[in-house]
Amino acid sequence: MSATSRSLRAVATVVVASLAVACGSAGPADAEQDYTNAPQLTLVEDVRFCTDEELPECQLTDSPIVAPAPDGGAVIGLPQGPITGFGPNAELVASYGRRGGGPGEYAFVPGVHVAPDGRVILYDFAQSRRTVFAADGALLGTEAREPDFGMRDISFGARGYAVLWEPPAEVGDSVISEVRLYRDTLPFIVVGRMPLVRLNDEMGMTKMPGFFKPLFPLWAVESDSSFLLADGVSLRIMRHFSDGRSETVVEATGIGNRAVTADDIRAERATQEAATARVPVRMDPALLNEREADAASHHRFADRVMVLHDGTILLRENAFGVDSARWTMFEGTGEVIGRFALRPAAQVVGGGRDRLLLQNPNEL
C-alpha cells in the first residue's frame, strides 16, 4: 500500500481503530521533511461502547476511566464506580468491585490496567493499594496498603501504571526523580531517572509557574527498563534507560519554536481571571502579575506522548485548532507512520499501530 493511501481504523465514545501501512526507514537528516510530509491517516470507527446512556455504567460525567482489553473490549467506569467490563462487541461482561474499604472494594480509582491474560487491576489511590480481578469480575486479591509516595505525576499505559516520584526536598531544589512502574500487585520497578526541580511542598501544594511553563515533563513508560521523554520547544523525543543511558528517538529542531505572543499572554490572563471569578476565594491579582511577568518565551511543542502496546509512539502537538488537535504516529525507532486529527477533548487511551481505543466525550 502506498504512503498516500495509508488508512487508520479507530474506535469512538469510547471508540476503536486500525492501520495498514508500508514501512520505510529514514535517517536523522530526513526527520523534519518526513514529519512535515507525514501522510494523513483515516480513522474508521469499528465499534462504539456505552451508547445506551440510560445505563448507570455509561453515565460517565467527568474524568471517566477507560482501558483497552486484549480481546478488543474495554473497561470503563468512574473513579468512584461503577467500573464495568465490555466485550469486543460492546456487550456488558462484568463489574469490578464496589465502593468501600474491604477486600475488592475501592475509594478512588483514577485508572485501570488490563493485563494480557485479561485480569483487571484497579489502582485505588485513596487507599494506596491495588486490587486484581479475573476478567469475569471474580476477586483475585487485594494488596496490603502501600506506603505513601512522593507522587509528582502519574501515567497509565499498556504495561501498568507509572508514577513520577520525587524525593523529599525544598521547593525549587534540584532532585533526581524516579519513574516507577507498578504491575499487578508486584513491587514497583524503577524504569529510569530524570533531573527535575522540586515543585511540591510537604503538603503536596505546587508553586505555580509562569504562563505556558509546563508543570510536568511529558513522559511515558516504554518497557520495564526504559521510558520516553518529550520536552522542549521543538520536536524531540528521547529514550532513557534504567542504567542511565539515553538516546535520541526523534529530533527535528527546525519544527516548532512557536513564540509566545502578547496576544497569548492577554488570552491566558483573561482565562485565569475568569476561572478565579467562579470560586469563593479569588486569586490575588499580584499572583497573576507575577505569573505573567514569568511567562515563557516559547510554547512547548508537544502536549502528550504515549507508547502503545506494540511499541508504537503517539505524540500530540501543543497547537490546537478550533475543532481539532493533531496526533502523529511513529515507529518505536522514530520513523513517521502518519498523522490524524481528533477533537481537542478526545483522547487516545490505548491500542496499537492498527487499532486504537479513543475516549471521545459528547455534550452530555
Side-chain angles (χ1 to χ4, degrees), residues 5-353:
S5 64
R6 305 180 201 191
S7 66
L8 177 65
R9 299 178 54 209
V11 176
T13 300
V14 184
V15 179
V16 181
S18 322
L19 173 66
V21 296
C23 298
S25 61
D30 302 324
E32 293 175 15
Q33 181 178 354
D34 288 351
Y35 188 82
T36 302
N37 298 330
Q40 190 72 22
L41 305 177
T42 303
L43 293 166
V44 179
E45 181 177 321
D46 288 340
V47 60
R48 182 177 298 219
F49 300 98
C50 267
T51 56
D52 185 356
E53 292 172 336
E54 297 298 317
L55 291 173
E57 295 87 350
C58 293
Q59 295 170 3
L60 299 177
T61 66
D62 295 330
S63 304
I65 301 163
V66 183
D71 64 356
V75 174
I76 302 172
L78 288 171
Q80 295 177 323
I83 299 172
T84 307
F86 293 82
N89 296 313
E91 72 278 14
L92 272 68
V93 173
S95 182
Y96 303 106
R98 62 181 182 180
R99 288 202 66 187
E105 297 176 340
Y106 50 81
F108 183 83
V109 178
V112 172
H113 171 61
V114 185
D117 60 6
R119 288 175 301 144
V120 176
I121 302 95
L122 309 186
Y123 307 105
D124 184 356
F125 277 82
Q127 301 185 92
S128 301
R129 66 188 190 183
R130 288 165 274 166
T131 301
V132 183
F133 295 89
D136 64 2
L139 175 64
L140 298 180
T142 299
E143 186 181 39
R145 286 181 62 89
E146 297 173 346
D148 193 19
F149 33 62
M151 184 176 69
R152 175 169 178 169
D153 196 15
I154 184 170
S155 173
F156 294 92
R159 304 189 67 82
Y161 83 93
V163 167
L164 181 58
W165 179 91
E166 60 182 24
E170 297 296 325
V171 176
D173 285 353
S174 295
V175 296
I176 300 298
S177 297
E178 295 179 346
V179 175
R180 296 178 172 184
L181 174 62
Y182 291 78
R183 307 162 303 158
D184 298 346
T185 56
L186 300 172
F188 67 79
I189 298 170
V190 178
V191 176
R193 296 173 173 85
M194 69 173 85
L196 291 172
V197 174
R198 171 80 170 178
L199 290 182
N200 292 343
D201 62 20
E202 63 276 6
M203 300 298 293
M205 302 299 291
T206 299
K207 184 175 186 287
M208 298 297 288
F211 295 159
F212 308 107
K213 290 189 177 180
L215 285 176
F216 307 115
L218 299 174
W219 59 281
V221 165
E222 181 181 45
S223 72
D224 291 0
S225 61
S226 65
F227 73 94
L228 298 182
L229 178 64
D231 214 353
V233 299
S234 60
L235 173 58
R236 186 167 185 256
I237 302 175
M238 298 292 296
R239 177 176 288 117
H240 296 265
F241 298 90
S242 57
D243 61 7
R245 293 179 298 120
S246 63
E247 65 184 22
T248 301
V249 180
V250 182
E251 184 164 25
T253 54
I255 301 291
N257 297 302
R258 187 164 57 95
V260 172
T261 67
D263 287 341
D264 291 332
I265 298 293
R266 283 192 289 269
E268 179 67 14
R269 186 180 182 95
T271 299
Q272 297 286 333
E273 289 175 337
T276 59
R278 294 194 295 267
V279 298
V281 180
R282 297 192 61 183
M283 183 182 292
D284 185 349
L287 182 57
L288 274 180
N289 292 338
E290 177 185 335
R291 294 185 63 191
E292 181 174 323
D294 194 34
S297 61
H298 288 75
H299 298 270
R300 69 181 182 184
F301 179 79
D303 178 73
R304 187 179 183 197
V305 64
M306 65 183 300
V307 184
L308 303 177
H309 72 79
D310 57 1
T312 300
I313 299 169
L314 286 182
L315 180 142
R316 184 172 74 172
E317 292 183 25
N318 189 32
F320 299 165
V322 174
D323 59 356
S324 66
R326 188 160 71 173
W327 295 72
T328 301
M329 180 179 282
F330 300 89
E331 302 279 7
T333 48
E335 293 85 3
V336 179
I337 295 173
R339 65 167 53 102
F340 55 92
L342 294 177
R343 293 170 50 217
Q347 293 286 344
V348 179
V349 294
R353 171 187 176 124

